[in-house]
Every structure is written in C-alpha cells, then in structure tokens.
Amino acid sequence: MLSPCTGEALSEACCRGCCPNPFHGLPLDHHHHPHELEAPKSPRTAAAARHEFKATITSSLFPNAQFTNHESLPSLQESFANFTRVFPQYLQTDQADRIRAQDYFHLSLNNYVCFDYIGHGLFSYSQMHSCSSNVHSSAASTSSSSPLPSVQLEPPFFDICYRSVSLNSWLQYGSEESELESKIRKRIMDFMNISEDDYTLVFTANQSSAFKLLAESYPFYSNPRLLTVYDHENEAAALMIESSKKRGARVSSAEFAWPNLRIHSGKLMKKIVGKRKKKKKKKRGLFVFPLQSKVTGARYSYMWMSVAAEKGWHVLLDATALGSKDMDTLGLSLFKPDFLICSFYKIFGENPSGFGCLFVKKSSASVLSGSTSSVSTIMGIVSLVPPVRQSVVEPQKDVTVSTSELRKEPSFSEIIELETLDESSQSKFPESSISGESSKLVECKGLDHADALGLILISNRARYLINWLANALMNLHHPHSETGIPLVRIYGPEVMFDRGPSLAFNVFDWNGTKIDPALVQKLADRHNISLSCGFLQNIFFSGEYEQERVRVLETRSGTNETRSGVSVATAALGCLTNFEDTYRLWAFVSRFLDADFVEKERWRYMALNQKTIEI
C-alpha cells in the first residue's frame, strides 16, 4: 500500500513530518565508498528535510563551483557520475529509459530534446512507426500511379468532428458514440483515476475550448464571481475570463509574492471568504485552481480547494499541469472538485495535436442547467471518430480539417471562429470512409507506459532531474565580474524538494541586461532543444522590493487592458525526460557566457542560409 505522502502529499504532508524519508518510494543505498557522500539520513523535521535535500542537490554538481566558461563544464559522463553518486536511486528508474529507447526512439535518432509538452501522451512513436509501415506497404500494393497523401504516412489514430450543442444538452441527453470513442473514454477515466459513477467526461477540441465551454454554461447571473489562481498568463483561463466578463462575472485573481512567487495567503483568503460573514452558506461563484504552476513549478496546497468549497464556491481543478500519475495521490482521491479539466496529445516529441477533457461532477451538473447564456449552441464539444481513409474520400474543401491535419492546437482566435460554424459541420465523414477495425486496433500505449512506471518512480525521477537542472543553471556566472553576475535567474521555487517538474528562467548578459526569452527559445530550437515562453503576472511586491519592481516588470497590451509581468523562458520535464536532456539544456544555456554567442549564431545562420535573418 502506498504511503499517503505521494505526489502532492509529498509536497505538503511529508514536510510536516508524517513521511520521515524525503526520498520516499525508492530505497536508499547505504553501501557507498568511504570517500563518497553518504546517503542522506532521514531528518526528523520538515526544515531539516528541506535543508538536507538542498544540500544534497548542491553537492551533486561540484560543491561551491561556479562555471564562467562553457568550455569548462564537466562532461556529460562526469556530470552523470556525480549525479548518480549522490542519488543512486535514480538508477532504479531505468525502466523509463528502456521505454524511451524502445518506443520513443525518434528522440535519439533526431537528437531532439523536448521541454514544451504539457498534458498526457496517448500513443507511442513505435505505434505510429509500425502503422505507417503497414499503411505504406498496403497502399503500395494497390496503387503505384500517384503518391500517398502525407496523412496516410502518419497515422492519426483518430479524428475529431465538432458538435454544435450546448454543454447542458450534452450532459442531459448525451450522444451516440463510436466504439473507438467509448474505449478511449473508459481508458482515460481509468488513467485519471476518476469514477464514471461520479463524473461525466466531455471531449473538447482542446484545453481552451473546455474553459470557454464551462464559462459559457456557468450561471454567473446567480453566482457572480470568478476567482483564478495563476502566476502566469494562461491562454485558456484568459478565454474563460473574457467570456465570463461578457456575462456579468466579477473577476479577480490570486496574487503571488515576489521573489519566491508563493501565493499571498492573506489576500487569497480574503477573496475566498469575502467581506460578509453569514451563517447561511452562499453560492459565490467559480474558483479556478491548479495544483501547480506549469510555468514556475510552484505547488499549492489542497487546502485552498477545501476552503473554497466550504465557503460556497464551485471548484474547477485545472489538472493540465499535473504529472502523468498525480491523479493517483491521496488528496485527489478524497477531494472531488465540481469540474476538472485536463488535456491529451497524441505522441510525445512528435505530434502535439489531441483534445481536451472536461469532467463534470454528476451531483454538480444541475447548476449548469440554470444558465441563461445568450449562446444557444457553443462549438467546442467534439466526438472522436475513426480516421478518414484518404483513398476512399474525395477531398472536400468545405470540410473542417481533422486533428490529424493539425500539427498544433488551434489558437485563441481559431477557437472563437468555431462558433460561426453551422450544424452541417457536425458530421464530416461518410460511412464508407471509416475503417471499421480502427476501434479494435487502438491501444493507448502512452498511457500504458505511464501506468507501468507508476506515481512513485515518475515523481522521484522528475524531482532529481528538475532540482539538478535548477542548481546547475544557478552555478553559471559571467567571468571578470567582481559581484559574480549570474547568467541565469530562476523565478519561483529554485532547489526545493516539493516543487513541480517545470522551470521558469531568464538569461542575462555580462551587463545584467535580460536577453529576450523568445530569442533564447529560437536559438535553443536551432540546437534541437524545444522550450516555451511564458509571462508571469499577478505579482505582489512588498515595499522592500519597490525598486526591483520598477526594474523587472514589463507591460503587455491586451485587447482591453495593459498587463504587467515578467516574460520568461520555460522548460517542462516529462516522465520520459532523462539526464542527458537536462545536461544538454544546461550546456546550451552556458553558451551565453560567451559575450559574442548571439552574434556568432546570427553569422553562422547567414552562412548556412545565404540570407539575413532577424534573431
């Protein structure tokens, strides 16, 4: 039986002393060489656990070392030896390495490092590779006169068709679903550890459409408030806020205290409780809460959901940033939010298209029936159908493209345009175009792999890697500076036991000027490293940080308002991330220690492409 201190519980409970071993889940190796660092002993207090973990991480990268030249970095082999010497438990997570080598070998073949996937992977690359070979062989035997469409060379596994229907109608009456959709629905419910007796699953075009769908269906006329908890600009939440405001909602947000970006507890509690104190519980509105930030990796307590529910709020849990098996944690198995949103993509490192999932608690579904939204039918709900056989279906210009033809999730503006589609878009695929055997062949091997690895292995592996990376980046300093100007600044938690597997950072030149995160992302992409960019916001600066507030805040102009925040580069680790991935990111960032690195990259690109390009 698993200890209650798993996943989020690790971040909260074990630091209160109920889990004495901070490296819970993997046994400690006490058989070290006499001159090697001893395995950490179990501290008795939360403070001791945090301090010892940080000290252990720091010692894994040459204690007290500061690297001022990218050529002085230790080699990959040397760094890995030091890392595993301090954390021999990491070697016990090699099952993830075997799965990656066998089923996601495209990452190694393409020398590709992927830090920009958020959500859960449905399928494996080996599935696609196997199906591609079969499709190609079958098609080659029947036709040699014309080349195959690219969609046949990259099996989509499923397509989506949009349904023009309100959320309330869907929840009340449902819709006939294919065998394929039924199987995927049951597999996802099982993977998310959510009971079909308690929740109804609605498939949506993506995460953004799930948020918008709920915003358009929630009765803000009677429950007028919307309270969100995001330390970053979130496109899906922004879409919900915009829709809610149009329907009369009063919107507010939690604030995050600089410099560690922890929730300002006093301010958030006041917003949850409100000014009036009545004995009768009042329905206040919708409380949107992620258990961790997908940008900074900060983790938040379950307590906020419980307090909000007690004070009359409906709770929407944004689970998009949770790890592969975090839904197995004790807290999530006991606390059941009114609504939950997550997202799934097709193949890690290959195909980010997929769909969103909106889970509606059956006992809370009635609240949506009272909505008086002016939008009678809201595009966003989708059905999963077997993929189109291109050899049978003639091209149709007026047909909405399927996810197999979309390499990326629809943008903010594309979601809005879906509302203008008429009911003729509901059925896009003639019966003759559908492979009757597709539903029998679908296996969600990506989910199978996560299940095989399990919560403990995934959590421990990610914890070692993300903390090593944070420590490694902070050890990079510009040369010839008396104050030792750091190359990198990390926002939010740095080296910390109870942090999530994502990192927000910026790179600074020798003069202390921030390098545009978009430029860092672009140069990383040239080195086969995929990063994302984010924008931190809702930051609270106390009086002592007033000068820093003026220095670090930037402004962005939106549709109706100007926002202040900090632009950052972000890296998110997944269950298949390995030590070499984190080392390569560290080595890449260290190149900025060369004051001429950016200029050299510009000239190198010009030489290769024979043209000037702005970077």
Side-chain angles (χ1 to χ4, degrees):
M1 180 177 178
L2 296 179
S3 163
C5 297
T6 56
E8 162 71 19
L10 276 171
S11 68
E12 301 292 342
C14 80
C15 289
R16 292 197 291 266
C18 73
C19 182
N21 177 12
F23 306 97
H24 172 73
L26 294 176
L28 298 174
D29 182 3
H30 297 283
H31 303 290
H32 285 285
H33 188 276
H35 297 292
E36 293 183 344
L37 182 71
E38 293 184 1
K41 298 178 181 179
S42 299
R44 295 182 180 179
T45 67
R50 293 172 183 269
H51 177 76
E52 188 166 306
F53 181 81
K54 185 172 183 177
T56 303
I57 284 288
T58 303
S59 67
S60 71
L61 182 69
F62 299 96
N64 303 316
Q66 287 188 0
F67 299 98
T68 59
N69 188 318
H70 71 276
E71 295 180 348
S72 68
L73 264 59
S75 66
L76 169 63
Q77 293 74 19
E78 187 178 1
S79 298
F80 184 66
N82 276 279
F83 175 70
T84 54
R85 176 176 62 84
V86 175
F87 291 114
Q89 307 93 335
Y90 177 82
L91 296 175
Q92 298 176 33
T93 69
D94 61 336
Q95 183 181 356
D97 296 312
R98 292 195 298 271
I99 289 175
R100 172 172 167 149
Q102 294 171 6
D103 293 281
Y104 302 87
F105 49 85
H106 63 296
L107 299 172
S108 298
L109 290 177
N110 299 327
N111 198 32
Y112 183 46
V113 177
C114 187
F115 289 118
D116 61 347
Y117 272 66
I118 300 292
H120 309 290
L122 290 167
F123 310 110
S124 69
Y125 181 81
S126 61
Q127 279 182 280
M128 187 194 77
H129 185 265
S130 175
C131 291
S132 296
S133 299
N134 294 338
V135 170
H136 182 72
S137 300
S138 175
S141 64
T142 59
S143 174
S144 60
S145 59
S146 60
L148 285 170
S150 59
V151 69
Q152 285 196 329
L153 298 179
E154 298 180 7
F157 299 102
F158 62 83
D159 280 309
I160 64 174
C161 69
Y162 293 96
R163 315 290 296 191
S164 182
V165 61
S166 70
L167 177 59
N168 181 43
S169 296
W170 187 269
L171 292 174
Q172 284 189 359
Y173 308 112
S175 176
E176 185 177 352
E177 62 181 8
S178 65
E179 183 182 358
L180 176 142
E181 181 174 15
S182 176
K183 287 186 176 181
I184 292 181
R185 179 188 303 277
K186 291 178 181 178
R187 182 66 183 92
I188 286 176
M189 297 288 279
D190 180 64
F191 178 78
M192 296 295 292
N193 196 27
I194 295 177
S195 171
E196 292 186 67
D197 295 332
D198 298 325
Y199 286 86
T200 299
L201 168 57
V202 181
F203 289 114
T204 64
N206 47 38
Q207 175 192 352
S208 295
S209 55
F211 273 82
K212 188 175 191 299
L213 193 65
L214 185 57
E216 295 287 359
S217 305
Y218 187 79
F220 286 110
Y221 62 91
S222 59
N223 302 349
R225 298 181 60 193
L226 175 65
L227 176 56
T228 63
V229 185
Y230 290 98
D231 63 2
H232 60 280
E233 185 178 71
N234 185 295
E235 186 175 331
L239 189 56
M240 168 176 270
I241 289 172
E242 181 181 346
S243 297
S244 302
K245 284 182 176 179
K246 291 179 180 178
R247 303 185 57 237
R250 301 198 304 269
V251 179
S252 59
S253 173
E255 295 182 54
F256 300 84
W258 185 269
N260 54 36
L261 296 184
R262 291 175 183 166
I263 291 176
H264 194 300
S265 300
K267 287 178 173 289
L268 180 56
M269 186 63 75
K270 286 182 180 179
K271 292 179 179 180
I272 291 176
V273 174
K275 296 180 180 179
R276 301 177 184 176
K277 294 184 178 180
K278 294 183 178 181
K279 293 183 179 180
K280 185 178 179 180
K281 187 166 69 171
K282 178 183 178 182
K283 286 298 179 184
R284 301 179 184 276
L286 186 60
F287 179 63
V288 184
F289 184 76
L291 277 171
Q292 68 184 36
S293 168
K294 67 178 181 182
V295 173
T296 64
R299 283 182 170 165
Y300 313 126
S301 172
Y302 286 100
M303 176 197 74
W304 294 112
M305 290 193 294
S306 298
V307 171
E310 291 173 1
K311 297 302 178 180
W313 294 81
H314 289 110
V315 177
L316 163 59
L317 172 59
D318 180 358
T320 55
L322 293 182
S324 297
K325 295 301 296 175
D326 282 354
M327 288 295 292
D328 287 353
T329 62
L330 179 67
L332 282 177
S333 65
L334 294 179
F335 184 86
K336 293 180 171 58
D338 300 285
F339 313 101
L340 184 147
I341 291 175
C342 62
S343 60
F344 291 80
Y345 57 82
K346 287 185 178 177
I347 302 172
F348 178 73
E350 175 64 23
N351 190 337
S353 67
F355 52 80
C357 291
L358 170 60
F359 294 87
V360 179
K361 191 176 181 181
K362 291 184 177 180
S363 60
S364 302
S366 60
V367 72
L368 302 178
S369 64
S371 174
T372 57
S373 172
S374 59
V375 182
S376 59
T377 56
I378 308 162
M379 293 302 298
I381 295 178
V382 301
S383 290
L384 308 184
V385 297
V388 175
R389 284 186 182 274
Q390 293 292 316
S391 57
V392 177
V393 179
E394 294 297 327
Q396 300 179 43
K397 294 182 180 180
D398 59 338
V399 171
T400 302
V401 294
S402 65
T403 53
S404 62
E405 297 166 294
L406 294 173
R407 301 298 295 176
K408 292 186 178 181
E409 200 174 73
S411 67
F412 186 95
S413 59
E414 288 172 331
I415 301 286
I416 296 175
E417 289 174 1
L418 293 178
E419 297 177 3
T420 64
L421 298 178
D422 56 35
E423 295 185 3
S424 64
S425 64
Q426 291 187 30
S427 180
K428 301 298 179 185
F429 310 105
E431 293 183 4
S432 60
S433 69
I434 294 179
S435 169
E437 297 181 357
S438 295
S439 61
K440 298 178 181 179
L441 299 176
V442 168
E443 290 182 83
C444 297
K445 286 194 174 181
L447 304 185
D448 294 343
H449 292 150
D451 283 340
L453 294 175
L455 171 66
I456 299 300
L457 185 149
I458 293 173
S459 298
N460 280 279
R461 182 181 176 94
R463 181 175 297 112
Y464 301 144
L465 291 175
I466 193 65
N467 280 287
W468 181 92
L469 177 60
N471 184 67
L473 291 173
M474 291 190 297
N475 274 272
L476 300 175
H477 287 72
H478 284 287
H480 313 303
S481 60
E482 296 180 0
T483 57
I485 298 176
L487 175 68
V488 174
R489 175 164 190 169
I490 293 175
Y491 300 86
E494 296 175 348
V495 175
M496 182 181 292
F497 176 78
D498 49 329
R499 63 158 299 143
S502 55
L503 193 73
F505 68 96
N506 271 319
V507 180
F508 294 81
D509 64 19
W510 63 274
N511 215 14
T513 302
K514 184 174 79 173
I515 299 174
D516 185 358
L519 174 58
V520 175
Q521 181 190 33
K522 185 177 293 185
L523 294 177
D525 188 62
R526 293 185 190 172
H527 289 75
N528 280 348
I529 299 173
S530 61
L531 300 174
S532 297
C533 288
F535 189 72
L536 302 177
Q537 60 182 19
N538 302 321
I539 304 173
F540 172 78
F541 290 84
S542 61
E544 62 181 305
Y545 294 108
E546 179 60 27
Q547 292 184 349
E548 195 168 2
R549 182 188 71 82
V550 176
R551 188 172 68 252
V552 304
L553 284 185
E554 311 160 30
T555 57
R556 281 190 177 182
S557 297
T559 306
N560 301 313
E561 59 183 357
T562 300
R563 303 179 306 281
S564 297
V566 181
S567 58
V568 294
T570 68
L573 279 61
C575 63
L576 297 174
T577 303
N578 60 19
F579 182 82
E580 183 177 352
D581 292 339
T582 58
Y583 178 87
R584 283 184 57 189
L585 177 56
W586 180 48
F588 161 73
V589 173
S590 73
R591 301 292 298 274
F592 288 90
L593 290 170
D594 180 355
D596 297 323
F597 172 62
V598 174
E599 187 66 15
K600 288 177 181 177
E601 283 293 298
R602 186 173 74 88
W603 283 105
R604 185 174 75 87
Y605 193 84
M606 287 174 58
L608 292 174
N609 294 272
Q610 300 298 312
K611 63 180 179 180
T612 303
I613 182 110
E614 288 293 331
I615 61 171

